[in-house]
Amino acid sequence: MPINQPSNQIKLTNVSLVRLKKAKKRFEIACYKNKVLEWRSGIETDLDNVLQINSVFLNVSKGQTAPSADLAKAFGAKTSVNDIILEILNRGELQVGEKERHAQLERVHNEVVSIVASKLVDPKTKRVYTTGMIDKALDMLSSQGSQAQQEKSAGSGAGTPATGEEGEAKPKTKEHVWTGVVATKSAKSQALEAMKALIAHQPIPVARARMRLRITCPTSILKQAAKTAGPKAGVDAEDGEEKATGTVKDRILSFIEQVETQDVVGSEWEVTGFVEPGAFKGLGDFIGGETKGQGRVEVLDMAVTHED
């Protein structure tokens, strides 16, 4: 006896699903495994390599395609199926299996370690660490961070807030705790948190690799009194406020940790040197404000390191 199958049922296997809920309906598309992330990151640009079938479903596992009326109600009558698929692909929630989740986490972890290893150096030798050493250091911090969170949870509500000499509660300082890589955040943001934690806790001696910059400024401005204070400006003994003492040239040099070269070329003064990454924004703001756009800051190297 023949079995009648509904005409709108399509059986698909070995798929990654992307779901989007709209107009009280859940729409799904069937994609090849690992291709959704490549599409969203820009690695894959051919839609045919991402989709298993160019259709929108209500339930992929049951092979139930979405009726045209439901699509028109949710996305608009004039919206093409291709545009609907793109919206689901770009905005929908990706459903992945255990293997895909593990592979994704491993990719993010490797990218985080690689970024951190390229940005941190040994403070004495200025040499980079291997990714293996950075990985071990982060593992140490992850173990310490998990233990600290457990102790904090166990002791929450039991202690009293710390107070100063006059009995006032001390403001809480932000602790940089590292508990490991997650797949839901970008590698860049997690690498930044990892660097902050490594610098704060120093499981191995680390420091941010310095930036190499070229600063150009008209000589006519150099000897003018600086209107804003630099990072090493003095402090007024009476009112505790920073004094904007010194010339524009003095203030520029105060941002530079190590001067490599400086020279006058025509009507412009040019200095090349090494700057801590944290001082880069302040230097750029100072140059822009004091020179009214006539000065320039060029990045020659984002992270100066020495490698064997």
Side-chain angles (χ1 to χ4, degrees):
M1 180 178 177
I3 299 174
N4 295 322
Q5 295 273 5
S7 61
N8 68 335
Q9 280 200 359
I10 303 170
K11 293 292 183 182
L12 293 171
T13 58
N14 194 32
V15 298
S16 286
L17 305 181
V18 182
R19 294 172 178 165
L20 181 67
K21 191 172 184 180
K22 199 165 185 179
K24 298 181 180 180
K25 291 277 187 179
R26 188 182 68 184
F27 300 98
E28 300 179 347
I29 55 175
C31 304
Y32 290 104
K33 289 188 176 182
N34 302 326
K35 284 295 182 179
V36 177
L37 296 177
E38 291 183 6
W39 170 271
R40 289 180 174 179
S41 62
I43 298 172
E44 180 60 68
T45 56
D46 190 345
L47 191 60
D48 291 334
N49 292 334
V50 181
L51 296 176
Q52 286 213 8
I53 186 168
N54 198 33
S55 298
V56 181
F57 296 81
L58 291 180
N59 192 314
V60 169
S61 61
K62 293 181 180 179
Q64 184 182 1
T65 56
S68 300
D70 289 350
L71 294 176
K73 183 179 179 182
F75 298 93
K78 295 183 179 180
T79 307
S80 66
V81 173
N82 194 61
D83 289 339
I84 293 171
I85 288 173
L86 287 174
E87 182 175 345
I88 297 172
L89 183 59
N90 293 325
R91 295 180 51 207
E93 180 185 355
L94 175 62
Q95 308 295 311
V96 295
E98 188 62 32
K99 288 183 179 179
E100 288 76 21
R101 192 177 294 110
H102 178 75
Q104 181 185 352
L105 186 62
E106 188 175 1
R107 282 197 299 271
V108 177
H109 176 83
N110 291 338
E111 192 175 349
V112 168
V113 172
S114 179
I115 294 172
V116 173
S118 68
K119 300 292 185 183
L120 296 184
V121 295
D122 185 312
K124 292 183 179 179
T125 64
K126 305 300 180 185
R127 296 187 183 280
V128 294
Y129 286 102
T130 63
T131 53
M133 294 181 72
I134 293 295
D135 202 1
K136 288 180 181 178
L138 288 175
D139 281 342
M140 291 170 59
L141 286 185
S142 181
S143 300
Q144 294 171 6
S146 299
Q147 185 178 354
Q149 283 192 342
Q150 289 175 1
E151 291 175 355
K152 186 177 180 181
S153 298
S156 61
T160 55
T163 56
E165 293 179 1
E166 298 179 359
E168 296 180 357
K170 290 182 178 179
K172 291 183 178 179
T173 56
K174 184 179 178 182
E175 296 180 2
H176 296 294
V177 179
W178 178 254
T179 55
V181 173
V182 295
T184 53
K185 295 181 181 178
S186 71
K188 188 175 180 181
S189 65
Q190 292 187 84
L192 184 60
E193 289 301 316
M195 285 189 282
K196 289 178 180 178
L198 285 169
I199 292 171
H201 298 283
Q202 296 283 319
I204 55 176
V206 292
R208 284 290 299 269
R210 297 176 301 174
M211 301 175 72
R212 184 166 175 261
L213 306 177
R214 180 191 292 124
I215 299 122
T216 307
C217 182
T219 53
S220 58
I221 300 176
L222 291 180
K223 294 182 180 180
Q224 294 179 9
K227 299 173 185 176
T228 56
K232 298 178 184 176
V235 177
D236 192 306
E238 294 181 3
D239 55 20
E241 294 182 358
E242 287 186 349
K243 283 184 175 180
T245 56
T247 62
V248 170
K249 182 179 180 180
D250 292 335
R251 294 279 68 81
I252 292 173
L253 291 175
S254 71
F255 282 96
I256 302 174
E257 192 175 89
Q258 180 184 343
V259 174
E260 191 176 34
T261 61
Q262 59 173 316
D263 197 7
V264 175
V265 181
S267 61
E268 289 189 327
W269 172 69
E270 186 178 281
V271 58
T272 303
F274 302 96
V275 175
E276 286 293 326
F280 175 67
K281 186 179 185 302
L283 173 60
D285 292 344
F286 177 82
I287 294 289
E290 293 290 336
T291 68
K292 297 181 180 179
Q294 297 180 64
R296 301 187 304 278
V297 180
E298 300 173 65
V299 178
L300 303 179
D301 196 335
M302 284 294 293
V304 179
T305 60
H306 299 284
E307 298 181 9
D308 291 325

